[in-house]
Structures are given as structure tokens and as C-alpha cells.
């Protein structure tokens, strides 16, 4: 009989009795891992830090089983873990003291990557700053920090004073902190395991001197794992206003975003609302590019088309062209919010001018170019301020 490692169609694999047996053997282990992860979420990451050189299945340095469990046998940290004092992380006290001057803390999350979460975080920070609030933007996407680029701060360095790390400032009332400022080369990859990433997040919260600010916006990576557990664990004692969750309209994104909402409910973080980003393409007809196709290939017909419109129907130049990019036939984010009992904040269309503003590191509210996206973003910000 062929074993499970051999190639076969999905139908064959389902019918193959040995494959079903393998699946049954894996199911209890998967369920145990899932239950363990859920318990850790509910306890705000209750396992504590796991050392980089720890054995597999390490219970964590803050566990009562630390240094005593079967998995600890032969670990170089066994004696230290067994004798070290257990209890609350003393750094949490320092974090509470440091963030006592921060009035509101907003998490920007998404279970799915590539939905425009960092773009939304950057523009939300710009909007709050332009409303004369004192704003801090903390980028905890350790492996993919894009916030420095989106705020026009590439190449800037972090400075340290006797009060701690100083944020890099876009304006006098908008400061930014990101690991992107610490990389000697922007092309360097951050290849870190969970404990080291968690340690940097703790250091950001403990050592960055934000001063007296109204809003701290935290831009998190996609998913519901290490960075999310850490930021919630460390911030819960300081008071989190809630999470803003970003998605795109199609089901392939909403599947993961539902998990993010469930994560927030399990760890006790209020969901302030969901933003449907890239909700259809909108741009002025005059910004479109036109192409003619024939047997010889494609030729640019933009100049000809615009001149024809100006001559025959000039009123069309003020019309907005709209099209659906993602499939929203299943109801999109609005329907999901209704089903899961969370607020829906609104839709932000896909706007090439917004993408350009993000690439150039500037606010989309500073001029009239982002005519499709800026009003939608402003309405969402107003709802958030009203919610608070």
C-alpha cells in the first residue's frame, strides 16, 4: 500500500485509509495546541517569556512548572527557572508609569496582510495631528516596518536622552517609533524568534518618551500571535481604548479578519470598529490611462481619448470613474460586522492618489488630490473620536 507521503489527488488522499488514520492521530495534538494557545490569549500571554535557547515545549519562565516540567530536563536554564521568583512582570509597572501621560491607546489590527493597515495607521495619525491632537505612532511590525516610509522618515535615527528613547517627529505634534529606524541598512531582514520580538515591544513601551500625548496609535502586523499577545498583555494594565480592524471586501480577507475579532473578544480588547479598505476603485476620469489594442500590440491612447472627451463631452472630465476590484457580492465587511456584533466604521475606496501619498510619506488631507479617499477617511476618524 502506498504511504501518505506519496503524491495523489485530493480525492485519493481523502479515500486512502492510511491518510485518514494519520489525520486522526494529528487531531488530538492540534486540539491541545489550540486550547493551549487560547488559554494563553485569555491570560494575556500567561506563559511568560520563553528563552531563545529553551527546550521544545518550554512552559515559560513565569509558569509554576518552570524548571520542573519534563520538557525542562537538560535545558541550560533549568536551575535558573526553578529558583527564580514567579509573579507579575516587574516591567509592566514601568510600562504603566511611562504610559500614564498617554490619554488614548488605539490598536490597528488585521488578521490579513496586504489590506492597507499601515496606510490606514499613518493617515489616521496624520488626521489626528491635523485636528491639533498630540499623537504618537508606534510600529510593532518587527519584520516588515513600513511606517517610516509612509511618514517620510526613512533614514532617520533614534536619539536617547536621560528620559529614554526620543520618537522621530514628523511635526511637533506627531512622533513615530519603529524598528525601521534601527536598521543599519533598509534591506536588512529581521530574523528573530518570538521572545526577542516581544522584548523589543516591551522596550518600546517602557523606554520611549512620548511625553504628554492625546493618542498613541499602535500599528501591528497581521495575525493573532506573538506581537499581538505581547502588546495586549503589556497595555492592558494601562487601559486600551480598543482596536480598529482593517479588511478588504472579499471573503479571503474576511475569513482571517473574523479570527482577529475573535482574538480581541478573547483577550478583552474592545473592537471600536471595522474599516473596509480598498472598497472599489475610484478616480477622476481625467486621471485614467487609455490603451488601444490591435494585432501589433498595445499603444497609448490617453492623449487622443482625453482630447476627444474635451471636444465632444467636456463635462465627463469632472466625473469619477468607479469599478469593483474585489468581490463584495457576499456583503463585505458591513455584513460581517452585523453577524459578529461589532461596529462598522465605513468604506475607503482604492484611490491611486492615496497610494501615491503613502509612497511619498505625506498626509492625504494636505491637498485636494485624494478626492476619493480623504473624505471617507475623515468620516471614519470623526466616528472614532465620537465613539470615545
Amino acid at each position: 500500500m502506498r504511504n501518505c507521503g506519496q503524491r495523489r489527488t485530493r480525492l485519493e488522499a481523502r479515500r486512502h485509509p492510511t491518510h485518514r488514520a494519520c489525520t486522526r492521530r494529528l487531531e488530538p495534538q492540534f486540539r491541545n495546541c489550540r486550547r493551549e494557545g487560547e488559554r494563553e490569549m485569555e491570560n494575556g500571554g500567561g506563559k511568560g517569556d520563553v528563552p531563545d535557547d529553551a527546550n521544545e515545549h518550554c512552559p515559560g519562565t513565569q509558569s509554576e512548572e518552570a524548571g520542573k516540567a519534563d520538557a525542562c530536563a537538560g535545558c541550560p536554564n533549568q536551575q535558573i527557572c526553578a529558583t527564580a521568583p514567579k509573579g507579575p512582570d516587574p516591567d509592566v509597572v514601568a510600562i504603566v508609569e511611562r504610559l500614564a501621560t498617554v490619554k488614548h491607546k488605539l490598536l490597528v489590527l488585521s488578521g490579513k496582510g496586504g489590506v492597507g493597515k499601515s496606510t490606514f495607521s499613518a493617515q489616521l495619525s496624520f488626521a489626528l495631528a491635523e485636528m491639533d491632537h498630540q499623537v504618537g505612532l508606534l510600529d510593532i511590525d518587527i519584520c516588515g516596518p513600513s511606517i517610516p516610509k509612509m511618514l517620510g522618515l526613512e533614514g532617520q535615527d533614534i536619539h536617547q536622552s536621560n528620559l529614554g528613547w526620543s520618537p522621530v517627529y514628523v511635526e511637533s505634534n506627531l512622533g513615530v517609533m519603529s524598528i525601521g529606524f534601527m536598521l543599519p541598512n533598509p534591506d536588512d531582514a529581521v530574523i528573530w524568534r518570538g521572545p526577542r520580538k516581544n522584548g523589543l515591544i516591551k522596550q518600546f513601551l517602557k523606554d520611549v518618551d512620548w511625553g504628554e500625548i492625546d493618542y498613541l496609535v499602535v500599528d501591528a502586523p497581521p495575525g493573532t500571535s506573538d506581537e499581538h499577545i505581547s502588546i495586549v498583555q503589556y497595555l492592558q494594565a494601562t487601559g486600551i481604548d480598543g482596536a480598529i480592524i482593517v479588511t478588504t471586501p472579499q471573503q479571503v480577507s474576511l475569513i482571517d479578519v473574523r479570527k482577529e475579532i475573535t482574538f480581541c473578544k478573547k483577550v478583552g480588547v474592545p473592537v471600536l470598529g471595522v474599516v473596509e479598505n480598498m472598497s472599489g476603485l475610484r478616480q477622476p476620469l481625467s486621471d485614467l490611462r487609455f490603451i488601444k489594442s490591435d494585432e501589433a500590440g498595445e499603444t497609448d491612447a490617453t492623449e487622443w481619448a482625453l482630447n476627444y472627451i474635451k471636444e465632444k463631452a467636456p463635462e465627463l472630465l469632472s466625473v469619477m470613474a468607479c469599478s469593483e476590484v474585489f468581490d463584495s457580492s457576499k456583503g463585505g465587511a458591513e455584513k460581517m460586522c452585523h453577524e459578529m456584533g461589532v461596529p462598522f466604521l465605513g468604506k475607503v475606496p482604492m484611490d491611486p492618489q492615496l497610494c501615491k501619498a503613502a509612497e511619498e510619506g505625506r498626509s492625504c488631507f494636505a491637498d485636494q488630490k485624494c478626492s476619493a479617499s480623504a473624505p471617507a477617511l475623515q468620516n471614519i476618524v470623526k466616528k472614532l473620536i465620537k465613539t470615545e
Side-chain angles (χ1 to χ4, degrees):
M1 183 181 290
R2 293 179 298 179
N3 61 42
C4 288
Q6 291 181 294
R7 292 185 178 178
R8 57 179 64 83
T9 66
R10 290 183 178 178
L11 183 58
E12 288 175 329
R14 289 193 192 104
R15 289 174 177 170
H16 187 45
T18 311
H19 174 83
R20 289 198 297 271
C22 290
T23 304
R24 283 196 295 273
R25 286 198 296 272
L26 285 171
E27 281 175 354
Q29 182 179 357
F30 172 77
R31 286 197 298 268
N32 289 339
C33 289
R34 182 176 177 181
R35 282 196 295 268
E36 184 179 334
E38 288 178 351
R39 283 197 300 271
E40 185 172 351
M41 284 197 301
E42 288 164 359
N43 294 329
K47 269 191 170 186
D49 291 334
V50 176
D52 287 336
D53 55 350
N55 287 353
E56 190 177 6
H57 307 304
C58 170
T61 59
Q62 295 301 312
S63 169
E64 292 297 327
E65 294 297 310
K68 303 171 187 176
D70 293 341
C72 300
C75 177
N77 307 300
Q78 184 175 13
Q79 184 62 30
I80 298 172
C81 290
T83 57
K86 306 298 186 294
D89 187 342
D91 285 334
V92 173
V93 177
I95 290 171
V96 171
E97 292 177 353
R98 174 65 78 179
L99 297 182
T101 58
V102 179
K103 292 180 183 177
H104 301 285
K105 303 166 192 74
L106 307 176
L107 304 182
V108 180
L109 308 175
S110 179
K112 189 72 174 175
V115 298
K117 174 185 49 56
S118 294
T119 300
F120 178 81
S121 297
Q123 297 304 323
L124 171 62
S125 300
F126 276 127
L128 292 171
E130 289 178 18
M131 295 168 71
D132 291 329
H133 293 295
Q134 297 291 327
V135 184
L137 175 54
L138 174 60
D139 180 10
I140 63 165
D141 191 344
I142 307 300
C143 296
S146 52
I147 288 297
K149 170 73 173 176
M150 291 185 175
L151 278 91
L153 298 173
E154 283 186 301
Q156 298 293 321
D157 295 320
I158 295 172
H159 300 286
Q160 193 164 9
S161 69
N162 58 344
L163 296 176
W165 289 352
S166 296
V168 178
Y169 284 90
V170 185
E171 302 287 347
S172 60
N173 64 336
L174 176 53
V176 183
M177 180 56 66
S178 170
I179 192 176
F181 300 133
M182 301 177 177
L183 301 177
N185 187 320
D187 295 333
D188 287 347
V190 180
I191 308 173
W192 289 0
R193 291 187 184 273
R196 196 171 178 193
K197 290 193 284 186
N198 297 344
L200 181 61
I201 292 170
K202 182 189 289 185
Q203 196 166 6
F204 278 157
L205 296 174
K206 184 167 62 80
D207 292 344
V208 176
D209 178 31
W210 297 105
E212 297 272 352
I213 62 172
D214 299 306
Y215 290 93
L216 178 64
V217 178
V218 181
D219 179 38
T224 57
S225 192
D226 288 330
E227 293 92 332
H228 305 77
I229 294 172
S230 294
I231 196 70
V232 171
Q233 179 186 1
Y234 299 143
L235 281 183
Q236 270 181 333
T238 71
I240 304 174
D241 289 72
I244 305 153
I245 298 176
V246 182
T247 184
T248 45
Q250 79 277 34
Q251 290 298 307
V252 74
S253 177
L254 295 172
I255 287 170
D256 291 339
V257 168
R258 286 174 179 270
K259 296 179 176 68
E260 194 75 52
I261 294 172
T262 303
F263 167 85
C264 290
K265 291 179 178 179
K266 280 185 174 289
V267 299
V269 174
V271 177
L272 299 177
V274 175
V275 174
E276 185 177 283
N277 198 24
M278 306 185 198
S279 185
L281 173 66
R282 292 188 188 182
Q283 64 183 130
L285 189 68
S286 57
D287 289 349
L288 290 177
R289 181 168 172 250
F290 297 87
I291 291 174
K292 278 185 176 180
S293 296
D294 52 32
E295 294 180 0
E298 293 182 344
T299 56
D300 191 314
T302 304
E303 185 177 355
W304 169 83
L306 291 178
N307 286 336
Y308 186 87
I309 292 170
K310 287 177 185 177
E311 181 182 347
K312 302 293 183 181
E315 63 276 9
L316 289 179
L317 294 175
S318 60
V319 171
M320 192 77 72
C322 306
S323 65
E324 293 295 325
V325 179
F326 298 112
D327 179 19
S328 59
S329 60
K330 299 295 177 69
E334 190 168 7
K335 182 181 178 184
M336 179 200 68
C337 288
H338 178 73
E339 293 171 348
M340 300 196 75
V342 296
F344 179 64
L345 293 174
K347 301 180 180 182
V348 180
M350 184 179 288
D351 181 357
Q353 289 297 331
L354 175 60
C355 299
K356 189 174 181 181
E359 286 287 304
E360 296 174 356
R362 57 181 174 82
S363 168
C364 73
F365 309 106
D367 51 40
Q368 303 300 315
K369 292 181 180 179
C370 300
S371 56
S373 56
L377 285 164
Q378 284 173 333
N379 288 334
I380 289 170
V381 174
K382 288 175 183 176
K383 287 183 182 179
L384 285 170
I385 300 298
K386 187 178 179 180
T387 301
E388 296 168 14

